[in-house]
Amino acid sequence: MNENRQNEINLHSAGATVRHRSDFDHLKSHKNDFELSKEFIDQWVLPFYMEMRHTSGSWIEDMKQLKDEITEEVTLALLGDFNWRTRTVGAYLSAIKNYENQIDIIGVHLLKSEVCYAGDLYALVFAFYNNQKTIDYLNQYLDYYLQKPQLYFDQERVMETLVYLDGINGTNNYSKHLTQWEKMLQDRHEISKIRNLQTAEIIKQQEGKVKAEEFLKATNNFKFKYNLDTEWITEQIHLLKELREF
């Protein structure tokens, strides 16, 4: 396997499945100048990265038992690794320990969106902190990424985060983005129609006109609706409070 191919595989595994240029390219990401050891990953990453989005399970007690061992050095090492698994765990542990000095690191990670599967956890952490700086990062993210319907990132989860925060703060940040949110959904619908036509043409060539028409009929009858729901983030905030207070 050549080096370029291996690099592509490594990037994909790390979560860099969509490489894009953005208005945030000038921001400097926090990155390690060393590799994390297997022992470190076994202790801090593997037991938690797939579990943190759940609000029950043995991982919660495991986290409590490790809480006193969480240090800024640990969270910085996790946040500085170019991988969605390590970065999400790092952000989560940072919130548990109330390392507010790391908010800008997490904020830059959110804005640059260098790896997938991470933005929802960053948004959760920012909702947990619930201060002006974290809310500004959420608004800044939406100001930009709601204008990028072709990028299926974490727009929905960040919108839900603002709905949640508006509910407890008595603010109205969500409505500032509502028009652009609805436009993004409509634009995505149009993008889907174009992709469906392209797919139908392939089906026509491979399976015939009848199959292609059946495919288009099925997709055209699909009505896309998205209801913003704060149940997940509400439950997660309760759990984070429990872990911080333990």
Side-chain angles (χ1 to χ4, degrees):
M1 183 180 298
N2 64 46
E3 185 177 348
N4 288 338
R5 178 60 175 166
Q6 185 60 55
N7 286 338
E8 285 296 314
I9 292 173
N10 292 341
L11 285 169
H12 193 278
S13 176
T17 55
V18 178
R19 265 89 80 194
H20 63 104
R21 299 194 64 82
S22 77
D23 289 353
F24 307 115
D25 287 349
H26 66 284
L27 299 177
K28 185 176 181 180
S29 301
H30 169 64
K31 292 183 180 179
N32 298 334
D33 57 3
F34 56 89
E35 295 291 328
L36 299 180
S37 69
K38 181 180 183 302
E39 180 183 18
F40 184 90
I41 292 172
D42 287 345
Q43 179 179 9
W44 293 110
V45 184
L46 296 184
F48 304 117
Y49 80 94
M50 288 292 288
E51 306 297 330
M52 294 184 306
R53 290 174 174 83
H54 304 295
T55 53
S56 62
S58 60
W59 74 273
I60 296 173
E61 288 304 314
D62 294 339
M63 181 74 77
K64 289 177 179 178
Q65 297 308 311
L66 279 173
K67 183 180 176 184
D68 289 342
E69 298 182 43
I70 302 171
T71 64
E72 288 194 66
E73 182 180 17
V74 168
T75 54
L76 285 172
L78 290 165
L79 288 167
D81 191 53
F82 191 81
N83 190 295
W84 68 271
R85 301 165 184 84
T86 45
R87 286 187 176 186
T88 52
V89 175
Y92 199 87
L93 298 185
S94 182
I96 290 174
K97 297 291 284 195
N98 197 32
Y99 294 148
E100 291 196 38
N101 57 310
Q102 296 177 0
I103 284 175
D104 286 326
I105 292 174
I106 299 169
V108 170
H109 283 345
L110 173 67
L111 294 180
K112 296 187 76 169
S113 292
E114 296 170 309
V115 295
C116 61
Y117 312 125
D120 62 329
L121 262 297
Y122 300 153
L124 167 64
V125 167
F126 281 178
F128 185 57
Y129 278 121
N130 187 17
N131 60 39
Q132 191 57 55
K133 178 178 280 191
T134 60
I135 293 171
D136 286 346
Y137 272 118
L138 295 170
N139 279 312
Q140 194 174 359
Y141 177 92
L142 290 174
D143 284 341
Y144 181 76
Y145 285 103
L146 287 181
Q147 299 182 62
K148 304 294 179 182
Q150 73 278 16
L151 297 177
Y152 287 72
F153 287 178
D154 295 283
Q155 293 96 325
E156 292 90 345
R157 188 64 81 187
V158 176
M159 282 290 285
E160 289 174 343
T161 302
L162 282 188
V163 172
Y164 168 83
L165 289 172
D166 281 346
I168 62 175
N169 294 335
T171 50
N172 202 27
N173 285 292
Y174 159 75
S175 66
K176 299 175 186 176
H177 303 286
L178 184 57
T179 299
Q180 194 60 46
W181 162 254
E182 292 175 343
K183 184 178 185 303
M184 186 198 74
L185 294 181
Q186 181 59 40
D187 288 344
R188 282 186 174 176
H189 180 64
E190 296 302 318
I191 291 171
S192 294
K193 287 198 294 186
I194 293 171
R195 289 175 176 171
N196 290 340
L197 287 171
Q198 293 170 339
T199 302
E201 185 60 31
I202 295 172
I203 294 173
K204 180 180 178 181
Q205 294 172 7
Q206 296 179 347
E207 302 180 44
K209 182 178 179 180
V210 173
K211 289 291 185 182
E213 290 175 347
E214 289 176 354
F215 169 79
L216 282 176
K217 183 178 180 180
T219 55
N220 288 339
N221 287 336
F222 176 75
K223 303 296 183 183
F224 179 80
K225 290 185 178 180
Y226 194 94
N227 296 317
L228 296 170
D229 185 358
T230 61
E231 180 179 357
W232 179 82
I233 194 167
T234 301
E235 293 176 351
Q236 285 286 348
I237 293 293
H238 287 320
L239 176 57
L240 271 171
K241 288 180 179 178
E242 176 187 336
L243 290 171
R244 179 179 285 186
E245 294 167 2
F246 177 77

